[in-house]
Amino acid sequence: MTEANVGRDVILEIPARADYLELVRAVVAAAAYVDPDFGDDRIEDLRLAVSEATTNAIRAHASLGSDNRIRVRCNVDDDRIEVEVHDRGPGFDAHGIPDLPDVDDPARLLWESGLGLPLMKELTDESEWASDDAGTVVRLVVYTRSFLRD
Amino acid sequence: MAGVNLGIDVHRRGDWIVIAPIGDLDMGSAPRLRQEVVTAVAAGDTHLVVDLGSVDFIDSVGLGVIVGARRRARSNGGEVMLAGLSEQARALFELVDLDRVFAVDLDLDAATAGPT
């Protein structure tokens, strides 16, 4: 694993293993805590969203060798924190993922997965995916409280 | 590194089996919770309380295992109750509307009293 500061970037390259999830969550939260204007609740939202993105990345690497790392880049500026999670998996079609049934629909309670993307959208101010057969980049952004107020 | 080696305590409390994970409930650790649920239901213990009082963080994978536990228990005539949710866990259940399926504000005493 390497960790480097490039400008205000924090970059992690991790093996595609679930036991690195906690480290990713901790580093992203620590980077966000540098600016107290994010607020604990928004940092908690970002921590969960990044955990979901990294979980998907680890799954995407299931068919790859352990030499292929997942790259997490975290950039904090005056107004926002941006996190990119980059995997080298086979890619996916975000538009091909069916919507979750309503919670009142009994079929919903057969769904034990598939909440990752909806959560990332809900928990962040911006979220986007770029995916092809060389991998997927998920970009998540949370703005500071004062930026959202202005 | 924490996460994969989830601590978990399982004990009986009245008619209920209390399964209490300790630590973060994510992709690395949630399978251990699923395993305990499967073991309990296979042994005929279908009334389960998942005590989240010592869980620091839960994500959608952990949520999925709890949804699966409820389905498994109910299909065998049982029930799953939750206890001791943190603010983070409660917010997550509310965000995905699962607070309409599970009571999310119970302590262990209330959860082992069963559904109201």
Side-chain angles (χ1 to χ4, degrees):
Chain A
M1 179 177 53
T2 61
E3 181 174 351
N5 280 300
V6 180
R8 296 184 73 176
D9 278 356
V10 175
I11 297 172
L12 286 172
E13 290 189 0
I14 62 163
R17 287 177 22 200
D19 48 354
Y20 284 85
L21 278 169
E22 188 176 357
L23 175 68
V24 172
R25 290 193 292 266
V27 168
V28 169
Y33 273 119
V34 169
D35 185 341
D37 197 23
F38 284 112
D40 290 355
D41 54 339
R42 298 298 282 140
I43 293 173
E44 199 58 45
D45 287 348
L46 181 67
R47 207 163 73 97
L48 177 52
V50 170
S51 190
E52 299 292 343
T54 309
T55 296
N56 286 350
I58 292 169
R59 285 185 174 136
H61 274 233
S63 59
L64 303 179
S66 58
D67 288 344
N68 288 288
R69 301 290 175 111
I70 292 166
R71 185 173 187 269
V72 181
R73 185 183 68 82
C74 184
N75 180 274
V76 184
D77 75 10
D78 293 341
D79 297 328
R80 56 114 182 90
I81 180 167
E82 176 187 78
V83 180
E84 281 185 356
V85 179
H86 186 180
D87 70 57
R88 301 175 199 284
F92 75 105
D93 176 12
H95 301 293
I97 295 174
D99 292 333
L100 282 177
D102 186 85
V103 75
D104 294 324
D105 182 340
R108 165 69 181 274
L109 296 176
L110 299 176
W111 283 60
E112 296 177 27
S113 60
L115 283 171
L117 291 182
L119 279 174
M120 283 183 258
K121 288 181 189 171
E122 193 71 32
L123 292 165
T124 59
D125 297 313
E126 292 175 19
S127 57
E128 59 186 30
W129 293 260
S131 190
D132 59 27
D133 56 10
T136 298
V137 179
V138 177
R139 178 176 166 273
L140 305 167
V141 178
V142 168
Y143 287 96
T144 61
R145 286 179 293 201
S146 54
F147 179 85
L148 292 173
R149 252 195 325 264
D150 296 340
Chain B
M1 186 169 293
V4 169
N5 298 314
L6 177 78
I8 197 158
D9 175 65
V10 181
H11 61 274
R12 183 174 294 279
R13 183 164 172 149
D15 294 332
W16 296 79
I17 296 293
V18 178
I19 302 175
I22 302 162
D24 289 0
L25 198 50
D26 61 15
M27 179 193 209
S29 54
R32 176 78 201 285
L33 173 59
R34 182 187 290 116
Q35 178 190 325
E36 292 295 343
V37 170
V38 169
T39 300
V41 173
D45 290 314
T46 60
H47 286 73
L48 309 175
V49 173
V50 179
D51 181 0
L52 298 173
S54 297
V55 168
D56 302 317
F57 173 87
I58 179 171
D59 68 8
S60 70
V61 181
L63 211 57
V65 169
I66 290 172
V67 169
R70 180 179 184 272
R71 182 174 54 79
R72 189 179 296 271
R74 287 192 139 208
S75 66
N76 286 276
E79 185 57 275
V80 169
M81 303 290 289
L82 303 180
L85 277 72
S86 66
E87 280 297 316
Q88 187 264 333
R90 195 175 307 159
L92 177 57
F93 274 80
E94 290 171 356
L95 190 62
V96 297
D97 291 331
L98 284 173
D99 58 321
R100 289 156 59 188
V101 176
F102 294 96
V104 295
D105 56 353
L106 304 180
D107 61 18
L108 189 54
D109 286 340
T112 52
T116 54

